[in-house]
Amino acid sequence: WKKTCQYLIYMGKIRYGQNFTFHKEDLKIIASLILYTIGDEENCKQRNIDLNKGVLLIGPVGCGKTSLMTLVQELAFPEQRYRIKPTRDIAFEFQKEGYDIIHRYGKSINPICLDDLGVEQNIKFYGNECNTIAEILLHRYEQLIHNKVITHATTNLNANELEQMYGNRVRSRLREMFNLISFPVSSEDKRK
């Protein structure tokens, strides 16, 4: 455990600068992410983490969600590695390219991490407004059910806010798609 944390801190310093470190109050969350990533069935079971689902990492702005989701991939097998894609970027791609974007991300058989669920806006394509990320999530749900394709996500929103953003149809599927791992609301912004 200690060596794994040291390795991830080392990789964090390379990627994010020499001031990168893990904070003591985050170690429980980091442990859950590591156990999930290495597929430790016994310890995941004790933490109610289902290895057949993805991770939805929730926490306040700047608490390190994206950094952690990036770093834990260092411990994953190549076929488990995922692309981290900001939802804002996907929404802007939809505005330029249209409905092909929903299929590109929604129907892909590759794991993906949708970064910052809820910060994107509904975007119009030739006058048609679409909740692009909600549609992608519905497709990703189908990919999980039929092809065991895993989706991960990060967000600053709580469950009620996610439902307001994407509707109750998506919210009910989120429970089946994700293990919820969350930072306390009081977590500090580590970018300061």
Coordinates of all heavy atoms in Angstrom, one line a residue, residues 103-168:
H103 N -22.8 9.0 -30.9 CA -22.4 7.7 -31.3 C -20.9 7.4 -31.0 O -20.6 6.4 -30.5 CB -22.8 7.4 -32.7 CG -24.3 7.4 -33.0 ND1 -25.1 6.3 -32.5 CD2 -25.1 8.3 -33.5 CE1 -26.3 6.6 -32.8 NE2 -26.4 7.8 -33.4
R104 N -20.1 8.4 -31.3 CA -18.7 8.3 -31.1 C -18.3 7.9 -29.6 O -17.5 7.0 -29.3 CB -17.9 9.5 -31.5 CG -16.4 9.4 -31.3 CD -15.7 10.7 -31.7 NE -16.0 11.0 -33.1 CZ -15.8 12.3 -33.6 NH1 -15.4 13.3 -32.8 NH2 -16.1 12.5 -34.8
Y105 N -19.0 8.6 -28.7 CA -18.7 8.4 -27.3 C -19.6 7.4 -26.6 O -19.3 6.7 -25.8 CB -18.7 9.8 -26.5 CG -17.6 10.7 -27.0 CD1 -17.9 11.8 -27.8 CD2 -16.2 10.4 -26.7 CE1 -16.9 12.6 -28.2 CE2 -15.2 11.2 -27.2 CZ -15.5 12.3 -27.9 OH -14.5 13.1 -28.4
G106 N -20.9 7.4 -27.1 CA -21.9 6.6 -26.5 C -21.8 5.1 -26.9 O -22.0 4.2 -26.0
K107 N -21.5 4.9 -28.1 CA -21.4 3.5 -28.6 C -20.0 2.9 -28.6 O -19.9 1.7 -29.0 CB -22.1 3.4 -30.0 CG -23.5 3.9 -29.9 CD -24.3 3.2 -31.0 CE -25.8 3.6 -30.9 NZ -26.7 2.5 -30.6
S108 N -19.0 3.7 -28.2 CA -17.7 3.1 -28.2 C -17.6 1.9 -27.3 O -18.2 1.9 -26.2 CB -16.7 4.2 -27.8 OG -15.4 3.7 -27.5
I109 N -16.8 1.0 -27.7 CA -16.6 -0.2 -26.8 C -15.4 0.0 -25.9 O -15.0 -0.9 -25.1 CB -16.4 -1.5 -27.6 CG1 -15.2 -1.4 -28.6 CG2 -17.7 -1.8 -28.3 CD1 -14.8 -2.7 -29.2
N110 N -14.8 1.2 -25.9 CA -13.6 1.5 -25.1 C -14.1 2.2 -23.8 O -15.0 3.0 -23.8 CB -12.7 2.4 -25.8 CG -12.1 1.7 -27.0 OD1 -11.7 0.6 -27.0 ND2 -12.1 2.5 -28.1
P111 N -13.4 1.8 -22.7 CA -13.7 2.6 -21.4 C -13.5 4.1 -21.6 O -12.6 4.4 -22.4 CB -12.8 2.0 -20.4 CG -12.3 0.7 -21.0 CD -12.3 0.9 -22.5
I112 N -14.2 4.9 -20.9 CA -14.1 6.3 -21.0 C -14.4 6.9 -19.6 O -15.1 6.3 -18.8 CB -15.0 6.9 -22.1 CG1 -14.6 8.4 -22.3 CG2 -16.4 6.8 -21.7 CD1 -15.4 9.0 -23.5
C113 N -13.8 8.0 -19.3 CA -14.1 8.8 -18.1 C -14.7 10.1 -18.5 O -13.9 10.9 -19.2 CB -12.9 9.0 -17.2 SG -13.2 9.9 -15.7
L114 N -15.9 10.3 -18.3 CA -16.6 11.6 -18.6 C -16.3 12.6 -17.5 O -16.8 12.5 -16.4 CB -18.1 11.4 -18.8 CG -18.5 10.4 -19.9 CD1 -20.0 10.1 -19.8 CD2 -18.1 11.0 -21.3
D115 N -15.4 13.5 -17.8 CA -14.9 14.4 -16.7 C -15.8 15.7 -16.6 O -16.2 16.3 -17.6 CB -13.5 14.9 -17.1 CG -12.8 15.6 -16.0 OD1 -13.0 15.3 -14.8 OD2 -11.9 16.4 -16.3
D116 N -16.2 16.0 -15.3 CA -17.0 17.1 -15.0 C -18.4 17.1 -15.5 O -18.9 18.0 -16.1 CB -16.3 18.4 -15.5 CG -15.4 19.1 -14.5 OD1 -15.6 18.7 -13.3 OD2 -14.6 19.9 -14.8
L117 N -19.1 16.0 -15.2 CA -20.5 15.9 -15.6 C -21.2 17.1 -15.0 O -21.1 17.4 -13.8 CB -21.1 14.6 -14.9 CG -20.9 13.2 -15.5 CD1 -21.7 12.2 -14.7 CD2 -21.3 13.2 -17.0
G118 N -22.0 17.7 -15.8 CA -22.9 18.8 -15.4 C -22.4 20.2 -15.6 O -23.1 21.1 -15.4
V119 N -21.1 20.3 -16.1 CA -20.6 21.7 -16.4 C -21.0 22.1 -17.8 O -21.0 23.3 -18.1 CB -19.1 21.9 -16.1 CG1 -18.8 21.6 -14.7 CG2 -18.3 21.0 -17.0
E120 N -21.3 21.1 -18.6 CA -21.6 21.4 -20.0 C -23.0 22.0 -20.1 O -23.8 21.8 -19.2 CB -21.5 20.2 -20.9 CG -22.6 19.2 -20.8 CD -22.7 18.4 -19.5 OE1 -21.7 18.3 -18.7 OE2 -23.8 17.8 -19.3
Q121 N -23.3 22.7 -21.2 CA -24.6 23.2 -21.5 C -25.3 22.4 -22.6 O -24.6 21.7 -23.3 CB -24.5 24.7 -22.0 CG -23.8 25.6 -21.0 CD -24.6 25.8 -19.7 OE1 -25.8 26.0 -19.7 NE2 -23.9 25.7 -18.6
N122 N -26.6 22.4 -22.6 CA -27.3 21.9 -23.7 C -26.9 22.7 -25.0 O -27.0 23.9 -24.9 CB -28.8 21.9 -23.6 CG -29.3 20.8 -22.6 OD1 -28.5 20.0 -22.1 ND2 -30.6 20.9 -22.3
I123 N -26.5 22.0 -26.0 CA -26.0 22.7 -27.2 C -26.9 22.5 -28.4 O -27.5 21.4 -28.5 CB -24.6 22.2 -27.5 CG1 -23.6 22.4 -26.4 CG2 -24.0 22.8 -28.8 CD1 -23.1 23.9 -26.2
K124 N -27.0 23.5 -29.2 CA -27.9 23.3 -30.4 C -27.0 22.9 -31.6 O -25.9 23.4 -31.8 CB -28.6 24.6 -30.7 CG -29.7 24.9 -29.7 CD -30.5 26.1 -30.1 CE -31.6 26.3 -29.1 NZ -32.5 27.4 -29.4
F125 N -27.5 22.1 -32.4 CA -26.9 21.7 -33.7 C -28.0 22.0 -34.8 O -29.0 21.3 -34.8 CB -26.5 20.2 -33.7 CG -25.8 19.8 -35.0 CD1 -24.6 20.3 -35.4 CD2 -26.5 18.9 -35.8 CE1 -24.0 19.9 -36.6 CE2 -25.9 18.5 -37.0 CZ -24.7 19.0 -37.4
Y126 N -27.7 22.9 -35.6 CA -28.7 23.3 -36.6 C -30.1 23.5 -36.0 O -31.1 23.1 -36.5 CB -28.8 22.3 -37.8 CG -27.6 22.4 -38.7 CD1 -26.7 21.3 -38.6 CD2 -27.4 23.4 -39.5 CE1 -25.5 21.3 -39.4 CE2 -26.2 23.5 -40.3 CZ -25.3 22.4 -40.3 OH -24.2 22.5 -41.1
G127 N -30.1 24.2 -34.9 CA -31.4 24.6 -34.2 C -32.0 23.5 -33.3 O -32.9 23.8 -32.6
N128 N -31.5 22.3 -33.4 CA -32.0 21.2 -32.5 C -31.2 21.2 -31.2 O -30.0 21.0 -31.3 CB -31.9 19.9 -33.2 CG -32.8 19.8 -34.5 OD1 -33.9 20.3 -34.5 ND2 -32.2 19.3 -35.5
E129 N -31.8 21.4 -30.1 CA -31.2 21.3 -28.8 C -31.1 19.9 -28.3 O -32.0 19.1 -28.5 CB -31.9 22.2 -27.8 CG -31.1 22.4 -26.5 CD -31.7 23.4 -25.6 OE1 -31.9 24.5 -26.0 OE2 -32.0 23.0 -24.4
C130 N -30.0 19.6 -27.8 CA -29.8 18.2 -27.3 C -29.0 18.2 -26.0 O -28.0 18.9 -25.9 CB -29.0 17.4 -28.4 SG -28.7 15.7 -27.9
N131 N -29.5 17.3 -25.1 CA -28.7 17.1 -23.9 C -27.7 16.0 -24.2 O -27.9 14.8 -24.0 CB -29.6 16.7 -22.7 CG -28.8 16.7 -21.4 OD1 -27.6 16.4 -21.3 ND2 -29.5 17.0 -20.3
T132 N -26.6 16.4 -24.8 CA -25.6 15.4 -25.4 C -25.2 14.4 -24.4 O -25.1 13.2 -24.7 CB -24.4 16.3 -26.0 OG1 -24.9 17.4 -26.7 CG2 -23.5 15.4 -26.8
I133 N -24.8 14.8 -23.2 CA -24.2 13.9 -22.2 C -25.2 13.0 -21.7 O -24.9 11.8 -21.5 CB -23.5 14.7 -21.1 CG1 -22.4 15.6 -21.7 CG2 -22.9 13.8 -20.1 CD1 -21.3 15.0 -22.5
A134 N -26.5 13.4 -21.6 CA -27.5 12.5 -21.1 C -27.7 11.4 -22.2 O -27.8 10.2 -21.8 CB -28.9 13.2 -20.9
E135 N -27.7 11.7 -23.4 CA -27.8 10.7 -24.5 C -26.6 9.8 -24.5 O -26.8 8.6 -24.7 CB -27.9 11.4 -25.9 CG -29.2 12.1 -26.1 CD -30.5 11.2 -26.0 OE1 -30.4 10.1 -26.4 OE2 -31.5 11.7 -25.4
I136 N -25.4 10.3 -24.3 CA -24.2 9.5 -24.2 C -24.3 8.5 -23.0 O -24.0 7.3 -23.2 CB -22.9 10.3 -24.2 CG1 -22.7 11.0 -25.6 CG2 -21.7 9.5 -23.8 CD1 -21.7 12.1 -25.6
L137 N -24.8 9.0 -21.9 CA -24.9 8.2 -20.7 C -25.9 7.0 -21.0 O -25.7 5.9 -20.5 CB -25.3 9.0 -19.5 CG -24.2 9.9 -18.9 CD1 -24.8 10.9 -17.9 CD2 -23.1 9.0 -18.2
L138 N -27.0 7.3 -21.6 CA -28.0 6.3 -21.9 C -27.4 5.2 -22.9 O -27.6 4.0 -22.6 CB -29.2 6.9 -22.6 CG -30.1 7.7 -21.6 CD1 -31.2 8.5 -22.4 CD2 -30.7 6.9 -20.5
H139 N -26.6 5.6 -23.8 CA -25.9 4.7 -24.7 C -24.8 3.9 -23.9 O -24.7 2.7 -24.1 CB -25.2 5.4 -25.9 CG -26.1 5.8 -27.0 ND1 -26.9 4.9 -27.7 CD2 -26.5 7.1 -27.4 CE1 -27.6 5.6 -28.6 NE2 -27.4 6.9 -28.4
R140 N -24.1 4.5 -23.0 CA -23.1 3.9 -22.3 C -23.7 2.8 -21.3 O -23.1 1.8 -21.1 CB -22.2 4.9 -21.4 CG -21.5 5.9 -22.2 CD -20.4 5.3 -23.1 NE -19.4 4.6 -22.4 CZ -18.3 4.1 -22.9 NH1 -18.1 4.2 -24.2 NH2 -17.4 3.5 -22.2
Y141 N -24.9 3.1 -20.8 CA -25.6 2.2 -20.0 C -25.9 0.9 -20.8 O -25.7 -0.2 -20.3 CB -26.9 2.8 -19.5 CG -27.9 1.8 -18.8 CD1 -27.6 1.4 -17.5 CD2 -29.0 1.3 -19.5 CE1 -28.4 0.5 -16.9 CE2 -29.8 0.4 -18.8 CZ -29.5 0.0 -17.5 OH -30.3 -0.9 -16.9
E142 N -26.4 1.1 -22.0 CA -26.6 -0.1 -22.9 C -25.4 -0.8 -23.2 O -25.4 -2.1 -23.2 CB -27.3 0.4 -24.2 CG -28.7 1.0 -24.1 CD -29.7 0.0 -23.6 OE1 -29.6 -1.2 -23.9 OE2 -30.5 0.4 -22.7
Q143 N -24.3 -0.1 -23.3 CA -23.0 -0.8 -23.6 C -22.6 -1.6 -22.3 O -22.0 -2.7 -22.5 CB -21.9 0.2 -23.9 CG -22.0 0.8 -25.3 CD -21.6 -0.2 -26.3 OE1 -22.1 -1.4 -26.3 NE2 -20.8 0.2 -27.3
L144 N -22.9 -1.1 -21.2 CA -22.5 -1.9 -19.9 C -23.4 -3.1 -19.9 O -22.9 -4.2 -19.6 CB -22.8 -1.0 -18.7 CG -22.7 -1.7 -17.3 CD1 -21.2 -2.1 -17.1 CD2 -23.2 -0.9 -16.2
I145 N -24.7 -3.0 -20.1 CA -25.6 -4.1 -20.0 C -25.3 -5.2 -21.0 O -25.2 -6.4 -20.7 CB -27.1 -3.6 -20.1 CG1 -27.5 -2.7 -19.0 CG2 -28.1 -4.8 -20.2 CD1 -27.2 -3.2 -17.6
H146 N -25.1 -4.8 -22.3 CA -24.9 -5.8 -23.4 C -23.5 -6.2 -23.6 O -23.3 -7.3 -24.1 CB -25.5 -5.2 -24.7 CG -27.0 -4.9 -24.5 ND1 -27.9 -5.9 -24.3 CD2 -27.7 -3.8 -24.5 CE1 -29.1 -5.4 -24.2 NE2 -29.0 -4.1 -24.4
N147 N -22.5 -5.3 -23.3 CA -21.1 -5.6 -23.7 C -20.1 -5.5 -22.5 O -18.9 -5.6 -22.7 CB -20.7 -4.7 -24.9 CG -21.5 -4.9 -26.1 OD1 -21.8 -6.0 -26.5 ND2 -22.0 -3.8 -26.7
K148 N -20.6 -5.2 -21.3 CA -19.8 -5.1 -20.1 C -18.8 -4.0 -20.3 O -17.7 -4.0 -19.7 CB -19.1 -6.4 -19.8 CG -20.0 -7.6 -19.7 CD -20.2 -8.1 -18.3 CE -21.0 -9.3 -18.2 NZ -22.5 -9.1 -18.2
V149 N -19.1 -2.9 -21.0 CA -18.2 -1.8 -21.2 C -18.3 -0.8 -20.1 O -19.4 -0.4 -19.7 CB -18.5 -1.1 -22.6 CG1 -17.6 0.2 -22.7 CG2 -18.3 -2.0 -23.7
I150 N -17.2 -0.5 -19.5 CA -17.2 0.4 -18.2 C -17.1 1.8 -18.6 O -16.3 2.2 -19.5 CB -16.0 0.0 -17.3 CG1 -16.1 -1.5 -16.9 CG2 -15.8 0.9 -16.2 CD1 -17.2 -1.8 -15.9
T151 N -17.8 2.6 -17.9 CA -17.8 4.1 -18.0 C -17.4 4.6 -16.6 O -17.9 4.1 -15.6 CB -19.1 4.7 -18.4 OG1 -19.5 4.1 -19.7 CG2 -19.1 6.2 -18.6
H152 N -16.6 5.6 -16.5 CA -16.2 6.3 -15.3 C -16.7 7.8 -15.5 O -16.8 8.3 -16.6 CB -14.7 6.3 -15.0 CG -14.2 4.9 -14.9 ND1 -14.5 4.0 -13.9 CD2 -13.4 4.2 -15.8 CE1 -13.9 2.9 -14.1 NE2 -13.2 3.0 -15.2
A153 N -16.8 8.5 -14.4 CA -17.1 9.9 -14.5 C -16.7 10.7 -13.2 O -16.5 10.1 -12.2 CB -18.6 10.1 -14.7
T154 N -16.5 12.0 -13.4 CA -16.3 12.8 -12.2 C -17.3 13.9 -12.3 O -17.8 14.3 -13.4 CB -14.9 13.5 -12.3 OG1 -14.8 14.4 -13.3 CG2 -13.8 12.5 -12.4
T155 N -17.7 14.5 -11.1 CA -18.6 15.6 -11.1 C -18.5 16.4 -9.8 O -18.1 15.8 -8.8 CB -20.1 15.1 -11.3 OG1 -21.0 16.2 -11.4 CG2 -20.5 14.2 -10.1
N156 N -19.0 17.6 -9.8 CA -19.1 18.4 -8.6 C -20.5 18.4 -8.1 O -20.8 18.9 -7.0 CB -18.8 19.9 -8.9 CG -17.4 20.1 -9.5 OD1 -16.5 19.4 -9.2 ND2 -17.3 21.0 -10.4
L157 N -21.4 17.7 -8.8 CA -22.8 17.7 -8.5 C -23.2 16.6 -7.6 O -22.6 15.5 -7.7 CB -23.7 17.7 -9.8 CG -23.4 18.7 -10.9 CD1 -24.3 18.5 -12.1 CD2 -23.6 20.1 -10.3
N158 N -24.3 16.8 -6.8 CA -24.8 15.7 -6.0 C -25.9 15.0 -6.8 O -26.2 15.4 -7.9 CB -25.3 16.2 -4.6 CG -26.5 17.1 -4.8 OD1 -27.4 17.0 -5.7 ND2 -26.5 18.1 -3.9
A159 N -26.5 13.9 -6.3 CA -27.4 13.1 -7.0 C -28.6 13.9 -7.5 O -29.1 13.7 -8.6 CB -27.9 11.9 -6.1
N160 N -29.2 14.8 -6.6 CA -30.3 15.6 -7.0 C -30.0 16.5 -8.2 O -30.8 16.7 -9.1 CB -30.9 16.4 -5.8 CG -31.5 15.5 -4.8 OD1 -32.0 14.4 -5.1 ND2 -31.5 15.9 -3.5
E161 N -28.8 17.1 -8.1 CA -28.4 18.0 -9.2 C -28.2 17.3 -10.5 O -28.5 17.8 -11.5 CB -27.1 18.8 -8.7 CG -27.3 19.8 -7.6 CD -26.0 20.3 -7.0 OE1 -25.1 19.5 -6.9 OE2 -26.0 21.4 -6.6
L162 N -27.6 16.1 -10.4 CA -27.5 15.2 -11.6 C -28.8 14.9 -12.2 O -29.0 14.9 -13.4 CB -26.7 13.9 -11.2 CG -25.2 14.1 -11.0 CD1 -24.6 12.8 -10.4 CD2 -24.5 14.5 -12.3
E163 N -29.8 14.6 -11.3 CA -31.2 14.3 -11.8 C -31.8 15.5 -12.5 O -32.4 15.4 -13.6 CB -32.1 13.8 -10.7 CG -33.4 13.5 -11.2 CD -34.3 12.8 -10.1 OE1 -33.9 12.6 -9.0 OE2 -35.5 12.6 -10.5
Q164 N -31.6 16.7 -11.9 CA -32.1 18.0 -12.6 C -31.4 18.2 -13.9 O -32.1 18.6 -14.9 CB -31.8 19.2 -11.7 CG -32.7 19.3 -10.5 CD -32.4 20.4 -9.6 OE1 -31.3 21.0 -9.7 NE2 -33.3 20.8 -8.7
M165 N -30.1 17.9 -14.0 CA -29.4 18.1 -15.2 C -29.8 17.1 -16.3 O -29.9 17.5 -17.5 CB -27.9 18.0 -14.9 CG -27.0 18.3 -16.0 SD -26.8 20.1 -16.2 CE -25.8 20.2 -17.7
Y166 N -29.9 15.8 -15.9 CA -30.0 14.7 -16.9 C -31.4 14.0 -16.9 O -31.6 13.2 -17.8 CB -28.9 13.7 -16.8 CG -27.5 14.4 -16.9 CD1 -26.6 14.3 -15.9 CD2 -27.1 15.0 -18.1 CE1 -25.4 14.9 -16.0 CE2 -25.9 15.5 -18.3 CZ -25.0 15.5 -17.2 OH -23.8 16.1 -17.4
G167 N -32.2 14.3 -15.9 CA -33.5 13.6 -15.8 C -33.4 12.3 -15.0 O -32.4 11.8 -14.8
N168 N -34.6 11.9 -14.5 CA -34.7 10.7 -13.6 C -34.3 9.4 -14.3 O -33.9 8.5 -13.7 CB -36.0 10.7 -12.8 CG -37.2 10.5 -13.7 OD1 -37.1 10.5 -15.0 ND2 -38.3 10.3 -13.1

